[in-house]
Amino acid sequence: FLERALELSAPKGIVGMLVPAKITTAGYGAAARHALASSTTIHAVADLTASFKTAFEATVYPLALIVGKAPPPQDHRVRTELPAAKEGLIRQSELPGGAPWILVQRGLHSILATLQQDHPSLGASITCHLGVKTGLNRVFLNPPGDIEAELVRWAVRGRDVRPFRCRGRVRLLWTHDPLGRPRRQLPRKAQAYLQRFGAELRARHDYQGGPLWTVFRTRAAVAPYRVVWPDLSRRLAAVALTTANSERIPLNTCYVAPVGSAARAHAVAAWLNSTWIRAVARLGAAPASGGFARFNAQV
């Protein structure tokens, strides 16, 4: 819609739209960000998430975008609020290339731009994954108490992670081996329990055959050295899971980053828990309801 609106506009015409706020940071918005910053005059990019909190029945995260169909004047500044009387805070020349748009005041924006230029993101040096997906949590989480103990682990959900630690609150029926492969056979009680849900287990979207009890995205979750943080939280918090707590299995409300050693895991967790990195991560995170944000591997 944005592309078509600009195509239909007259030269020097103005386009105003409400778009998802995460277009400023999400990977899918890179081409749009580059095109807007390099070929239009961006008058305003205003996050209206808080303003529209009660305006829609659904939870939405709107961003007001006002652009002119003309190249920007030299040293043009972009407003991050709608009132035209407000002074622009960000030079448009600081926004090209498709990189995430960090909509903060000029001095802080300059610091962040330098950090992004001089240091790779976490995702550039470590492969990050979402945690285990069961596809049927009501069956796999908190299984009956008589299930064989060797198949029970502590699940780690995003809400369970705190800086440098995680709390075990939910038990997980773990039907895979130490390498993350589904077991060929299960003990009698576990097998009888899961057989009761055979049709539902086969109907899971990710199930492509194999044992009924197969769960998904398991390899990273059982790596001997992992760093885990919530996908959704108010502030970034990370914990290192190493051989000392290998029985804990992060679920898909967490990101998991396997690394090569326990020392590396603890170092990355400490880095993610630092005040500066938390602040940078929050600025680039996609907004969510209730003051939460989504933290991916772009830190």
Side-chain angles (χ1 to χ4, degrees):
F1 289 105
L2 180 58
E3 181 180 18
R4 186 62 174 152
L6 286 166
E7 287 176 355
L8 295 173
S9 298
K12 298 185 179 181
I14 301 294
V15 171
M17 298 188 76
L18 286 180
V19 297
K22 64 181 181 180
I23 197 174
T24 60
T25 56
Y28 71 75
R33 292 192 296 269
H34 176 67
L36 289 168
S38 59
S39 61
T40 72
T41 298
I42 305 173
H43 295 290
V45 182
D47 188 345
L48 304 179
T49 298
S51 306
F52 277 71
K53 196 171 184 179
T54 59
F56 296 94
E57 292 185 6
T59 301
V60 295
Y61 313 103
L63 180 89
L65 184 64
I66 302 174
V67 300
K69 190 175 179 179
Q74 187 175 5
D75 204 36
H76 175 70
R77 294 176 182 269
V78 178
R79 302 195 312 274
T80 56
E81 298 181 61
L82 281 181
K86 296 284 186 178
E87 181 182 354
L89 295 178
I90 302 168
R91 286 194 179 96
Q92 185 166 332
S93 60
E94 296 175 337
L95 299 179
W101 289 354
I102 307 299
L103 305 176
V104 293
Q105 61 187 1
R106 183 183 171 192
L108 183 54
H109 189 274
S110 177
I111 293 171
L112 292 173
T114 301
L115 286 173
Q116 291 171 340
Q117 178 179 338
D118 294 347
H119 303 282
S121 68
L122 180 65
S125 56
I126 295 176
T127 302
C128 303
H129 312 261
L130 282 169
V132 167
K133 180 181 180 182
T134 70
L136 201 60
N137 278 353
R138 67 182 184 85
V139 171
F140 287 93
L141 299 186
N142 285 329
D146 63 347
I147 292 289
E148 289 83 359
E150 66 266 28
L151 298 186
V152 178
R153 302 287 187 273
W154 284 114
V156 178
R157 303 166 300 173
R159 72 188 74 172
D160 300 326
V161 177
R162 297 290 183 272
F164 303 109
R165 61 189 176 91
C166 60
R167 297 176 290 186
R169 293 182 169 183
V170 174
R171 294 179 303 117
L172 170 68
L173 175 54
W174 183 241
T175 54
H176 287 229
D177 68 17
L179 296 179
R181 301 171 300 197
R183 294 172 183 258
R184 294 186 178 183
Q185 296 291 329
L186 296 182
R188 178 179 58 84
K189 291 179 181 178
Q191 184 143 348
Y193 167 69
L194 290 168
Q195 289 291 351
R196 291 161 41 193
F197 305 99
E200 294 170 87
L201 290 166
R202 289 188 180 91
R204 292 174 296 167
H205 177 75
D206 295 282
Y207 180 70
Q208 301 294 323
L212 282 178
W213 48 83
T214 299
V215 295
F216 318 105
R217 296 198 297 251
T218 59
R219 293 298 181 89
V222 297
Y225 313 112
R226 300 152 288 165
V227 182
V228 176
W229 66 93
D231 167 36
L232 185 69
S233 62
R234 286 193 171 91
R235 67 172 188 169
L236 183 60
V239 61
L241 298 182
T242 62
T243 51
N245 42 32
S246 60
E247 298 293 291
R248 296 178 182 268
I249 306 295
L251 300 183
N252 66 335
T253 52
C254 298
Y255 274 101
V256 186
V259 295
S261 67
R264 174 80 161 155
H266 288 293
V268 172
W271 181 71
L272 291 173
N273 287 325
S274 68
T275 300
W276 276 98
I277 295 302
R278 278 182 180 157
V280 171
R282 180 68 198 215
L283 289 170
S289 62
F292 285 76
R294 294 192 177 276
F295 295 97
N296 58 26
Q298 298 307 310
V299 180

